[in-house]
Amino acid sequence: MRRFLLYFLTLGLLTGNNQIPDFQKGDVIGFWGDSITHAEYSEVNYTHVLYNYYVTHMPEEEIELRNLGVGGAQLRHGLELYEKDPMSKGLDKAVLEYGINDLKKYFYETPESYADGAEAREDNLEEYQGNLSAFLEKLQEDGVEKADVSIATLPIPYDASTIGETGALKGPQYRTPEGFERMSETARKYAEQQGIGLIEFHKPLLELTESLGGEDPVGKLLCEDRMHLNTSGQIYLSYLFLEQQGVLKDVSKVEIKEGRIHSEDAEVSHLRQGEGYLYYDYRADRLPMGISEEYREADKDLNILDKLNREIIQVQGLKEDAVYDIYITGKQIGSYSGREFNEGVNIANLEGNPAQQWAAAIEGMNRGRRVAELAYRKKVQDFTDCGSGAVTEAEILEAFEAWHKEDQAYRQDMYQLARQEIEITERIAIVQQGAAAPEDAFAAPGKSYKRMAAAGLAAAAVMGGCLFCVWRRRRRKMGSTQS
């Protein structure tokens, strides 16, 4: 029942007229923010997941996403870094995720705690709006159109179990739920007034925690501090972003009915059918998103994979109670009943799916990209009073050059592998268990030299994944993280 409810949880989210701008070919998009965007504490962050999705699902629309988050940052830090962090230059679009650290003490406890609490809170919100306007002005001065800017409501959920007797949240930071909502509402109104995009994180995250039925969200959605989204929560943020941007789409859909085959976003041909079997040749226009263990872990509680990754095969007329095996170029990847085929089965997330295996190689490169990104963001953090303040401007410039060169190489390899893979045609066979199918059902449509050429890039992906594992082990040894 929970999975059924979660499926409909965020359909038709209230984004009003403030839809997130589409990302176009060649765009460089900067994601500004605090620890939720920086996500030094998490194995993946939502911008990382977004890039995984865009490269595989839109391999011809080459874009660049830049994580400009700094743990502990307020809007004023973003404004200060705008001139000094070279990563902030050359943007076509911008996303601003700030607010939690901009909440001052008047929002940390109940109104009765301060005699001038109401007035001070209004001043706090006005200051936040003023800094948003200053940021928007800077972006426009550098050629980023107002319509290409989006702001986010607070990506902070809470639930009844986190609220103490005073009405403030339990844990090391006693911000109130009222403070979260007031800051989020300020962002909504500002987006409406300025005609910029709005990313609604706060409301659906509240609904998600409520849908857990009173279960403790720590581990399922939140870190131990009950403030930061964990890896599963970060993956869910990416889903909310994509859903509200309106770009969620199937990898492909193949329908077979009464001896005819129809496809969306794929080329299909040479359909052959016999007693207990059918097969056809298939080439999709895009890849499924590469799925790692973190995605599968998130799926256990959030039912997220069938929303992010869908490659559908629907076959009508099969025996409902019979079991059928799916083969892709001779390799069995899954088994489903005729009834399930009639409704449509999703093969995108199956580990044996060759497209998923190559997409996972792309995700391995994305992990290497993440390692380089985090190393640079740490330098930026230590350039500010959010960190040690010990990094000089000259060191920032040097670190940027190293990061940019490495990041460019990763992005080039990721897109190259994605574009090579979508040129490959596979043969898909659906065979009833116990039935015999001809050898042609399991044969390759033709030699796939493209796949051989991609092997070198896959090796690079493995290296990137190894680097990520080294980084992760180091991070775990470091213990707790910054807000």
Side-chain angles (χ1 to χ4, degrees), residues 105-114 121 166 168 174-176 178:
K105 64 179 182 179
Y106 310 103
F107 279 113
Y108 279 48
E109 298 181 15
T110 56
E112 295 76 17
S113 301
Y114 300 95
R121 290 177 184 216
T166 65
Y174 292 88
R175 296 169 174 88
T176 63
E178 179 201 354

Side-chain angles (χ1 to χ4, degrees), residues 381-437:
Q381 185 179 39
D382 285 340
F383 178 69
T384 73
D385 59 11
C386 295
S388 67
V391 174
T392 66
E393 192 165 350
E395 288 173 326
I396 283 289
L397 292 173
E398 182 182 357
F400 171 78
E401 293 298 329
W403 164 80
H404 192 255
K405 182 177 180 181
E406 188 173 3
D407 186 72
Q408 196 170 33
Y410 272 121
R411 287 187 286 106
Q412 181 179 347
D413 287 348
M414 289 170 70
Y415 274 108
Q416 182 180 346
L417 181 54
R419 286 193 285 262
Q420 286 182 343
E421 178 60 20
I422 63 172
E423 294 180 13
I424 297 172
T425 298
E426 305 279 10
R427 179 155 295 169
I428 294 184
I430 299 171
V431 182
Q432 182 180 341
Q433 291 184 355

